[in-house]
Amino acid sequence: MSKRYQVIIVGGGPVGVGLAIDLAQRGVSCALIERRVGMHNIPKGQNLTQRTLEHFYFWGCVDEVRAQRLLPPEVPAAGIVAYRSLMSDHWHDFQGREILDDYYFQKNDRLPQYRFEAVLRRRMASLPLVDARFGWAAQDVAQDETSVRVRVVHEAGNGADELLEADYVVGCDGAHSVVRERAGIQRDGTDFDQLMVLAVFYSREFSEGLKRFPMRSTYRVMDPALNGYWQFFGRIDPEEGFFFHAPVPADTTRDSYDFAGLLHKVAGFEFSCRFEYVGFWDLRVAVADKYRAGRIFIAGDAAHSHPPYGGFGVNNGLEDASNLAWKLAARLDGWAGNGLLDSYDLERRPVFKQVGDEFITARIKWEGEVINRHDPRRDPEAFARDWAELKTGAGPIVANFEPNYEGSPIVFGPPGGVTGARGTYMFKARPGHHIAPRQLSSGCNLFEELGGSFVLLAFDAPAEAVRALEAAAASLRIPLKVLCDTFAAGREYFGARVLLVRPDQYVAWAGDSAPPDAVGIIRRVAGLD
């Protein structure tokens, strides 16, 4: 049997399902292939950024996602850091992503992945253009100049197999991606040669012991012997549910190690607990050498994987989905060039490369060096300075993570602009950067007018500038929405009167007057040049 779609998505975790939602809302028919019928109830992927909640807003499910939160709303996503154990005299709390709220339309949130994943599945099920096949697995992927073919087998049933065809396939099938392997895409990165344990447990006694601190989402311990690796507890709920990550010896198994003893050592006190899950993962950072091979794309963990440091995993994967969806839809609608699809790799891969190199690998090394400089028992004053440095160093991880596409060929970035994860948050609208939310004279937020197509924002702008860009888009059959307002009431902070905003809420071009080559601008942002 053979069935035809526009896009086949292999992998039905949050990234694959999010991509299916985004594509279907843009009128693209999809098949989603996922081996799992149910979901893993492991509380990973909890630290959701403001940007991720923006995606949920545009996908029509943000309120339902927030309703799944288990922690009280006043508990921040930030946490506690302590020296050697949670009972240490040396500890501090630090600010999390809440410091960036003003630059996004949605606030960040925290809840287990399986809870928001269930919401995404329900949202996807409401969209008739998605053929979701849970219990199916991809066996092979092949492509030619006109199409891709995916052989799938029904693992949960009678073993039946089908051949699915589409214009494009996207592998969202995890670190051991079949799609990536079949496309011949390689990955490299940093392997720390360190086995880590993930334990999920329940203990009211442990929760009571944490009352020396204000309630937080995570409780992290730094031990000089671990050279920057983390031992940390994360809350699942406010009463008794926790997860725990820590380095363990390479030969550790579920039956050969005293996990309760490790918890007690890191906590600094003994407590009874009930383990629900004990598993292992390898501490490594890996990124694919390309995200596209012809008609085959990869996203999420298939393209990049890393340890759960800083909440960069699922958030980056969902941004992959948002970046790719509008570009695939535009190409399938016939108004975008092949260069628009090439830009997916050119924009998203440098972002994660910098995340892995500078926000994770370099941070582990730096923290290991700082925590080993002085012993508080022998040199308390010097240690106090080191401890203050560690607290201060936590802020830039949040404040400097500002993914941008200044070097992208489809935006009009600054001369010498470079695409990456590091940047500076501003209200000024800069090509290649996420646009900040602003109130409009209508009383709506700007973001309520964005999302479906390119949007031309004109703030007391010259009429000839609007006409030129509008006519250029019309001549190329490129959907463009024009929104006019005054250059006041906070909108002057954008720093330009005319802004061209992409369907993924990134600025493509900015100016104050009619451009000399409006057609050239539109052609470039559509990947036609």
Side-chain angles (χ1 to χ4, degrees), residues 381-398:
E381 292 184 2
F383 177 82
R385 291 192 296 270
D386 297 337
W387 194 246
E389 182 179 346
L390 285 170
K391 180 177 181 178
T392 304
I397 294 296
V398 174

Side-chain angles (χ1 to χ4, degrees), residues 28-223:
V28 176
S29 64
C30 311
L32 180 130
I33 311 302
E34 170 53 48
R35 186 188 303 269
R36 296 174 301 143
V37 175
M39 285 175 290
H40 300 304
N41 288 337
I42 301 172
K44 59 181 180 178
Q46 295 204 99
N47 192 357
L48 302 179
T49 65
Q50 292 94 334
R51 177 62 177 157
T52 288
L53 272 296
E54 286 182 355
H55 297 322
F56 295 158
Y57 167 79
F58 287 110
W59 295 341
C61 58
V62 66
D63 291 335
E64 190 176 355
V65 167
R66 291 195 190 279
Q68 298 301 309
R69 181 182 174 103
L70 295 175
L71 291 172
E74 65 271 14
V75 177
I80 301 294
V81 179
Y83 179 73
R84 291 190 180 272
S85 85
L86 293 179
M87 294 297 103
S88 169
D89 292 334
H90 306 286
W91 66 271
H92 61 251
D93 60 358
F94 59 91
Q95 290 182 301
R97 288 191 168 95
E98 294 84 1
I99 64 176
L100 304 176
D101 280 351
D102 290 345
Y103 299 98
Y104 290 94
F105 179 52
Q106 296 288 324
K107 295 184 182 298
N108 65 322
D109 216 325
R110 187 176 181 89
L111 62 153
Q113 178 176 308
Y114 56 82
R115 292 183 70 88
F116 71 79
E117 189 175 349
V119 174
L120 293 179
R121 283 194 180 191
R122 289 193 293 271
R123 174 60 183 145
M124 179 179 67
S126 72
L127 300 169
L129 284 174
V130 182
D131 179 10
R133 293 166 172 252
F134 294 104
W136 290 75
Q139 296 293 304
D140 197 16
V141 181
Q143 65 174 317
D144 56 32
E145 292 183 358
T146 61
S147 65
V148 291
R149 294 167 300 284
V150 181
R151 176 71 64 181
V152 298
V153 61
H154 189 198
E155 291 193 332
N158 57 12
D161 66 274
E162 292 186 26
L163 182 66
L164 309 181
E165 295 183 294
D167 295 280
Y168 301 99
V169 64
V170 185
C172 303
D173 48 341
H176 303 289
S177 170
V178 170
V179 175
R180 186 186 67 238
E181 188 270 329
R182 294 294 191 272
I185 298 174
Q186 304 298 314
R187 294 205 311 175
D188 59 20
T190 302
D191 191 336
F192 294 91
D193 194 27
Q194 175 63 62
L195 184 67
M196 306 289 287
V197 65
L198 166 59
V200 180
F201 69 95
Y202 290 84
S203 173
R204 289 186 179 272
E205 287 184 26
F206 179 64
S207 190
E208 284 294 316
L210 294 180
K211 288 186 175 179
R212 70 178 301 218
F213 308 115
M215 184 176 284
R216 291 293 184 264
S217 298
T218 61
Y219 303 82
R220 173 180 152 207
V221 170
M222 298 193 68
D223 190 318

Side-chain angles (χ1 to χ4, degrees), residues 284-486:
R284 62 167 61 100
V285 176
V287 60
D289 59 11
K290 57 184 176 181
Y291 285 10
R292 180 189 185 189
R295 293 180 173 271
I296 299 175
F297 298 82
I298 55 175
D301 286 351
H304 47 76
S305 58
H306 63 82
Y309 278 39
F312 293 112
V314 70
N315 295 297
N316 268 294
L318 292 170
E319 189 67 38
D320 292 344
S322 174
N323 186 285
L324 182 57
W326 74 271
K327 296 173 180 179
L328 284 172
R331 183 66 171 159
L332 289 164
D333 284 346
W335 56 261
N338 190 53
L340 192 67
L341 296 183
D342 285 337
S343 73
Y344 167 66
D345 173 276
L346 297 173
E347 291 182 349
R348 294 303 303 153
R349 192 161 54 90
V351 168
F352 187 82
K353 186 69 167 64
Q354 195 167 47
V355 166
D357 291 346
E358 298 184 21
F359 286 81
I360 298 176
T361 302
R363 180 176 176 82
I364 291 173
K365 180 181 179 182
W366 173 74
E367 288 188 333
E369 292 172 350
V370 175
I371 201 66
N372 274 287
R373 286 177 188 163
H374 299 96
D375 188 312
R377 293 166 297 185
R378 292 195 294 267
D379 199 344
E381 292 184 2
F383 177 82
R385 291 192 296 270
D386 297 337
W387 194 246
E389 182 179 346
L390 285 170
K391 180 177 181 178
T392 304
I397 294 296
V398 174
N400 292 342
F401 178 66
E402 193 257 343
N404 66 85
Y405 312 135
E406 284 192 354
S408 172
I410 63 164
V411 303
F412 288 80
V418 176
T419 294
R422 189 178 295 277
T424 303
Y425 283 90
M426 299 181 186
F427 293 117
K428 181 179 180 181
R430 297 160 292 162
H433 293 257
H434 172 273
I435 193 167
R438 293 282 93 179
Q439 288 297 112
L440 302 175
S441 298
S442 65
C444 294
N445 192 286
L446 169 63
F447 270 66
E448 297 176 75
E449 302 287 349
L450 301 178
S453 65
F454 278 97
V455 176
L456 183 64
L457 302 176
F459 300 123
D460 288 333
E464 59 271 20
V466 176
R467 285 195 299 267
L469 289 164
E470 194 171 19
S475 70
L476 296 168
R477 296 192 312 107
I478 295 175
L480 178 68
K481 176 181 179 179
V482 178
L483 183 65
C484 298
D485 207 333
T486 61

